[in-house]
Amino acid sequence: MEISPFDEFERRLNLARKGGGVLFCGAGYSADCLNFAADETLGTGAQLLELFNKELRQDPPYRDLQNASDALHDKLADYGMMQLLQKRFLVSNVTSDMTDLLRFPWQTIYTTNYDNGLEIAAQAAKIRVDDLNNSDDPKVKTTKLPIIHLHGYVQKWNIDNFRESCVLGAESYTKLTRVQMWLDRFRRDIDQAQIVVFVGFNAGDFHLSKAIYDLTGLREKAFFINRPTAQANPDVTAAQKRLGTPFFIGRTEFAKYLNDLLKKDAPKDPLLASFSKYIPADPATTIPTEGQIEELFIYGDPDFSQLARDLTNNVSEYHVQRSALRSVLGAIEDGVRIVLFDGFPCDGKSVLITDLAYRLSGTRPVYQMRQPYENILDEIAGIVHHAPNAALIIENCFDLSQERLASITRQFDGSEGLLVLTSRAVAVDASPAGLASLKGLKSFRRIPLARLDDVETATLIDLADQIAGWREFRGFDLNARRRFIEITCQSSLPHFLMRLLRSEYVTTRYQEEFNKLSLSQREREAVIMALYIAHIGENAPVSFLSNATEVDYGAIIDKLSNRLGGETFRLVRRNGNVIQTVPSIGAENILRSLFKDSDIVDAIVPVLDNLASTFRNDFEQRMFSQLMRFSILSNIVEDPKEIDRFFDNNRQKPEIRRMPLFWLQWHMAKCSSGELTVAGKFLEQGYKEAAEYERRTGRKFDLRQLDDRRAKFLMQRVSQQNLTGALLFSAFKESIELTEKILRQDDPKHYPFETIIEIVNQFSDKGDCFLSGHKDFVSRILDQLISYAEKRVGVLADGYQGDKARSALREAVAGFR
């Protein structure tokens, strides 16, 4: 049965009693205390226009606030304007219902009001507050209830901050830098909120469309409290319905309702923002169709009821049940409390943890992380307090900072609870220290998703046989199919899916799905961004993509399916608060085959531009870094001109231009296109920005990546510029010294071992070009470097890091000795 709007309102208010309640007060909250008429024209803009026209004695009156404001400023200047507003917008008394509204345990209060009505009401309610002007630092830590005046606060204005603080309509709103930073905080609070209640706000006064882009996420938890009326203004109602649910009960009735609610027992469920509770699906009652199996393999769109059916009946008629599931269940019985599944993209980790969640949910509550917020540690503590044996699932765990991940794992080491982590093997490359810290925990177990065993291979053969048009597989007999999986695909599910998802049959299916719709420019960019994030290896939250693209991303994706008559657009779809696409290998296939290089660059550049201007959480910082990487871009975009345009556009943003690693990425792009002179200049710029970073922050910059690139770059110059004599000797000597310097530092990674291969290869090719005595010297120091690398390779983390380093070292030794 569908829940009524008011029942949903009550449910969310109850959830917010433990936190996550945002109150937004518009002009209607304090209008009667300021002697403004409470009608549909009420709003800060209308109030100011009336006040300014009266002060100007303007006849006929101005109808445009900006014009009235400019005229009054010419007359009074800053000081006069400030005095006028301070005198008009100071409140001495508030009503009892204004006070009662603040007795609810709101987490944050925002207002577009200049006045001090909220502060006086809080004082009457004996609630301690931090009153914040929009000129204050948005990153400020508050210990009391924060009341944030987005348009400015009369009691904090002075002649120095008035011009930068006082918002007079939409035009000035967009010009104030600090106000824009407060909007970032506002968006984050709304993302995490259980409920957002707007009191005395007509949805036209404050230009929310310029502040909130994830209206899909807001709409279900936003409620507007309007004055009682026999007939609601249709324009106000329509505007509010675009953002949430309007109620015409009035401030007084709402305050009474809150008082009654607080007299009842609060719910016992933990506060959830970063996590959601896993609800197991009912097992399907019918066998899976070929179409359902194809959708799982080709579109990465699982039918959870069919997954449940396989698990309940202990069959693999819909998906490959991995032996790792039995391994982890056994490990949990033996006392393991922290589990890490790692593997390469498309290794089946997401399906595996869904299977695990289904198994675990019979004996303990299971929570899955959707998006990590700043208060994730408090949230986890609340979950564990509520249910000590709870199981938490965090995919792509190394997206979190090492410190935060360590804090989370410490809560589970030796506890009743269970922490299930996943990571892509390539992600471990970025965080070997994080993996090492996990290994130090007594109840930790790492379970790599290794080669398919015989049973899994047989299951894969049966399932893949039902992908009707895949000629590369269906043309084989049973033995040939087994050899195809075991030998051609190396018994690796990612290798198998790479063959499948890049096949002509699947490419045609993707093309057919894409051609179902004629996409607008904005829709094309939305689809490209979702596929590009999937190519990186993520399913992005709707709020992230909405804020990064500055459009209501969820609404765009929903409309695509609506245009198909309710049928899901399978290339890009919304699953709750997450945008899902085809598997990452398929996403790369679509981007390569369906979009021009220029389309991809046009979609990514504005996102990077927006992300550069905001304070970024762990996930956003990872996406920001990944979106700038040449190695990721070059998998999709091949045109050197478009690659250059990508970096040239990024350079226009100061926050990006000052990053040493931005110049490193552009250097790599120039190396790839053979423009070594320019590549050298960009690398030197990277070093200069590193030095400037150290001067600006007083912190040491880790030069390892720059040094490694210089070592590799020197060998590329040797190869392409035919260096001889002293120049050749100098290039080898510096490259070897830089590589040894990197290897001697703590926490070594695999890439200097790969540099040794390049040095060995070039030494082999250029041996006859050295001057007398130079070759023996280089041979000696290169031998010393290899010997030292053989000692250091044992320090690297197991798995991806160690495997890559050992493989590179074996190749280097074979080529040199």
Side-chain angles (χ1 to χ4, degrees):
M1 186 175 68
E2 187 175 349
I3 187 170
S4 72
F6 203 85
D7 286 342
E8 176 66 6
F9 182 51
E10 181 172 333
R11 184 185 77 83
R12 287 189 169 274
L13 278 170
N14 262 317
L15 289 174
R17 290 172 67 176
K18 289 191 174 183
V22 174
L23 176 65
F24 194 111
C25 292
Y29 173 78
S30 53
D32 42 359
C33 298
L34 290 164
N35 297 317
F36 284 108
D39 58 27
E40 62 269 11
T41 65
L42 185 63
T44 303
Q47 293 171 351
L48 291 177
L49 189 58
E50 176 188 339
L51 177 64
F52 291 174
N53 277 320
K54 183 177 180 180
E55 188 69 22
L56 290 164
R57 299 178 182 177
Q58 180 68 32
D59 187 26
Y62 283 108
R63 294 185 178 181
D64 184 278
L65 176 60
Q66 193 66 49
N67 293 335
S69 172
D70 291 343
L72 189 60
H73 189 270
D74 290 343
K75 178 180 178 181
L76 300 179
D78 283 350
Y79 186 72
M81 290 276 285
M82 182 180 71
Q83 281 196 315
L84 174 69
L85 294 177
Q86 285 179 328
K87 181 179 178 181
R88 185 64 183 86
F89 286 94
L90 274 175
V91 173
S92 300
N93 297 292
V94 295
T95 62
S96 60
D97 58 300
M98 292 170 69
T99 300
D100 289 342
L101 279 182
L102 297 198
R103 298 189 194 278
F104 187 83
W106 301 109
Q107 184 168 300
T108 309
I109 297 177
Y110 286 89
T111 181
T112 50
N113 299 340
Y114 304 141
D115 64 72
N116 58 329
L118 281 161
E119 285 76 9
I120 291 180
Q123 185 178 14
K126 294 182 172 56
I127 295 170
R128 300 173 66 201
V129 302
D130 285 313
D131 51 341
L132 298 168
N133 189 33
N134 57 14
S135 61
D136 293 328
D137 185 356
K139 297 177 185 177
V140 65
K141 299 293 184 183
T142 56
T143 57
K144 308 165 192 172
L145 172 65
I147 298 178
I148 300 161
H149 292 262
L150 290 172
H151 280 189
Y153 182 34
V154 289
Q155 292 199 324
K156 285 201 171 184
W157 281 339
N158 55 52
I159 196 61
D160 296 319
N161 70 14
F162 177 74
R163 177 66 69 89
E164 290 300 314
S165 174
C166 182
V167 173
L168 298 169
E171 288 300 317
S172 62
Y173 201 92
T174 58
K175 293 176 182 176
L176 302 183
T177 304
R178 185 58 65 86
V179 176
Q180 288 293 322
M181 294 173 66
W182 275 108
L183 288 187
D184 292 335
R185 176 165 169 171
F186 181 47
R187 282 193 289 269
R188 291 175 194 284
D189 283 346
I190 286 179
D191 283 346
Q192 300 176 60
Q194 298 290 340
I195 190 169
V196 186
V197 181
F198 296 85
V199 175
F201 175 85
N202 68 14
D205 174 44
F206 176 53
H207 300 266
L208 275 180
S209 60
K210 296 183 181 297
I212 306 171
Y213 311 112
D214 180 19
L215 300 183
T216 307
L218 170 66
R219 197 175 293 116
E220 62 183 16
K221 55 189 173 186
F223 299 88
F224 292 84
I225 306 300
N226 300 286
R227 64 189 180 87
T229 180
Q231 188 171 4
N233 183 299
D235 292 318
V236 170
T237 303
Q240 291 181 356
K241 281 186 174 180
R242 282 194 291 271
L243 300 173
T245 303
F247 292 130
F248 294 87
I249 59 176
R251 188 186 65 203
T252 302
E253 187 63 28
F254 178 48
K256 181 179 181 299
Y257 172 76
L258 287 180
N259 276 338
D260 292 341
L261 183 69
L262 292 175
K263 294 174 184 176
K264 302 175 184 178
D265 290 337
K268 294 184 171 64
D269 292 340
L271 172 65
L272 300 179
S274 301
F275 289 85
S276 64
K277 189 172 183 180
Y278 169 78
I279 306 297
D282 293 328
T285 56
T286 58
I287 62 172
T289 64
E290 289 187 0
Q292 288 174 314
I293 293 170
E294 277 206 0
E295 290 204 0
L296 175 62
F297 276 88
I298 297 176
Y299 296 105
D301 190 10
D303 184 319
F304 294 102
S305 67
Q306 287 292 349
L307 292 176
R309 178 182 179 276
D310 272 8
L311 292 166
T312 301
N313 298 332
N314 196 26
V315 296
S316 292
E317 295 178 345
Y318 175 64
H319 75 301
V320 178
Q321 285 198 52
R322 303 301 301 270
S323 59
L325 180 62
R326 295 190 299 274
S327 298
V328 73
L329 291 172
I332 293 168
E333 288 291 324
D334 293 338
V336 168
R337 290 295 174 261
I338 303 167
V339 178
L340 172 66
F341 292 107
D342 69 5
F344 289 92
C346 294
D347 223 340
K349 293 182 292 297
S350 294
V351 173
L352 174 60
I353 62 170
T354 301
D355 286 353
L356 180 58
Y358 185 84
R359 290 288 195 207
L360 294 173
S361 62
T363 58
R364 61 176 81 206
V366 179
Y367 298 87
Q368 293 176 287
M369 190 182 78
R370 295 304 183 193
Q371 180 177 5
Y373 290 107
E374 292 302 310
N375 59 350
I376 185 173
L377 295 176
D378 294 335
E379 187 174 339
I380 290 173
I383 292 172
V384 173
H385 176 76
H386 170 71
N389 71 332
L392 269 63
I393 296 173
I394 299 179
E395 294 192 69
N396 299 332
C397 66
F398 293 112
D399 287 355
L400 298 171
S401 68
Q402 183 180 331
E403 296 76 15
R404 184 162 291 174
L405 181 59
S407 297
I408 293 171
T409 54
R410 280 196 296 268
Q411 295 191 56
F412 287 86
D413 194 22
S415 72
E416 295 179 53
L418 177 67
L419 181 62
V420 180
L421 309 170
T422 76
S423 81
R424 301 168 303 277
V426 289
V428 182
D429 172 33
S431 188
L435 180 59
S437 69
L438 292 176
K439 288 184 176 180
L441 301 169
K442 61 182 180 181
S443 54
F444 170 73
R445 177 75 59 83
R446 174 172 171 254
I447 301 180
L449 290 186
R451 294 162 58 91
L452 297 166
D453 61 27
D454 291 342
V455 174
E456 293 167 340
T457 297
T459 299
L460 186 58
I461 290 172
D462 289 341
L463 293 172
D465 189 43
Q466 299 180 65
I467 300 174
W470 189 24
R471 290 197 303 271
E472 291 114 299
F473 193 77
R474 288 182 65 82
F476 300 152
D477 61 27
L478 182 60
N479 288 331
R481 294 176 192 188
R482 181 174 292 277
R483 288 194 299 272
F484 176 79
I485 293 173
E486 293 179 342
I487 299 173
T488 306
C489 300
Q490 303 172 38
S491 293
S492 163
L493 187 56
H495 280 80
F496 177 86
L497 288 173
M498 193 175 296
R499 297 274 180 164
L500 167 63
L501 298 177
R502 290 178 178 171
S503 68
E504 181 182 348
Y505 173 67
V506 173
T507 300
T508 302
R509 292 290 303 274
Y510 288 156
Q511 182 80 58
E512 290 171 351
E513 185 70 13
F514 182 77
N515 288 341
K516 287 180 180 179
L517 295 171
S518 177
L519 302 180
S520 68
Q521 181 64 26
R522 175 167 286 185
E523 289 168 342
R524 287 174 66 85
E525 290 174 353
V527 169
I528 288 170
M529 273 312 304
L531 292 169
Y532 199 87
I533 297 294
H535 156 62
I536 292 173
E538 301 281 357
N539 283 323
V542 175
S543 59
F544 165 75
L545 285 166
S546 296
N547 294 333
T549 57
E550 296 191 347
V551 296
D552 185 354
Y553 201 98
I556 289 177
I557 301 304
D558 289 346
K559 286 177 182 177
L560 297 182
S561 294
N562 291 338
R563 297 220 306 266
L564 291 173
E567 177 187 342
T568 301
F569 183 57
R570 287 176 292 182
L571 299 186
V572 178
R573 54 199 184 272
R574 184 168 70 90
N575 180 9
N577 294 324
V578 176
I579 295 293
Q580 294 183 322
T581 72
V582 301
S584 58
I585 297 168
E588 183 177 322
N589 180 5
I590 294 171
L591 289 168
R592 280 177 169 273
S593 59
L594 299 184
F595 297 100
K596 296 184 294 186
D597 286 356
S598 58
D599 292 336
I600 297 168
V601 170
D602 287 342
I604 301 170
V605 164
V607 171
L608 272 169
D609 187 72
N610 292 333
L611 286 175
S613 304
T614 64
F615 175 76
R616 297 178 291 276
N617 61 29
D618 289 345
F619 178 81
E620 290 165 336
Q621 179 57 43
R622 170 176 158 72
M623 288 297 98
F624 181 61
S625 300
Q626 296 292 85
L627 286 169
M628 277 196 294
R629 284 182 57 185
F630 169 68
S631 58
I632 289 176
L633 180 74
S634 59
N635 285 337
I636 304 297
V637 177
E638 297 178 346
D639 186 345
K641 292 182 180 178
E642 289 302 322
I643 291 173
D644 212 41
R645 185 168 70 89
F646 170 81
F647 284 106
D648 194 46
N649 274 288
N650 291 341
R651 182 178 59 177
Q652 309 308 316
K653 199 72 176 175
E655 296 89 344
I656 296 178
R657 188 170 64 245
R658 295 184 187 133
M659 296 174 63
L661 298 184
F662 161 73
W663 294 100
L664 174 67
Q665 297 299 319
W666 205 354
H667 157 82
M668 293 169 63
K670 289 300 184 182
C671 285
S672 177
S673 61
E675 300 173 71
L676 299 192
T677 301
V678 180
K681 291 179 181 178
F682 287 169
L683 186 58
E684 288 306 313
Q685 186 64 36
Y687 279 105
K688 290 178 182 177
E689 293 297 343
E692 174 59 22
Y693 169 87
E694 292 181 347
R695 185 201 64 78
R696 190 170 64 246
T697 66
R699 296 195 297 269
K700 190 72 176 172
F701 187 84
D702 188 345
L703 293 173
R704 273 182 284 192
Q705 292 187 60
L706 288 168
D707 286 344
D708 183 68
R709 278 308 310 172
R710 177 152 182 81
K712 288 182 168 72
F713 178 60
L714 288 166
M715 291 300 96
Q716 188 172 2
R717 285 182 57 203
V718 166
S719 172
Q720 296 187 17
Q721 295 183 348
N722 296 317
L723 300 183
T724 59
L727 290 176
L728 180 66
F729 172 76
S730 177
F732 272 94
K733 183 174 180 293
E734 184 180 356
S735 184
I736 291 170
E737 289 173 346
L738 285 169
T739 305
E740 183 182 6
K741 171 187 170 185
I742 298 167
L743 285 174
R744 288 189 180 279
Q745 293 175 312
D746 293 337
D747 188 22
K749 297 177 173 61
H750 74 276
Y751 51 78
F753 294 87
E754 295 177 335
T755 305
I756 295 174
I757 296 176
E758 298 188 29
I759 298 172
V760 167
N761 290 340
Q762 292 307 315
F763 182 71
S764 176
D765 289 346
K766 303 296 182 180
D768 295 336
C769 300
F770 284 99
L771 295 176
S772 177
H774 283 176
K775 182 176 181 181
D776 289 342
F777 179 84
V778 171
S779 179
R780 185 170 67 256
I781 62 173
L782 180 53
D783 184 62
Q784 292 170 353
L785 173 64
I786 293 173
S787 296
Y788 182 67
E790 289 174 321
K791 296 177 183 177
R792 291 292 281 167
V793 74
V795 180
L796 272 72
D798 292 337
Y800 182 82
Q801 281 287 324
D803 291 346
K804 293 280 284 185
R806 281 186 286 271
S807 174
L809 191 55
R810 283 194 298 270
E811 184 177 340
V813 169
F816 182 70
R817 296 175 180 166

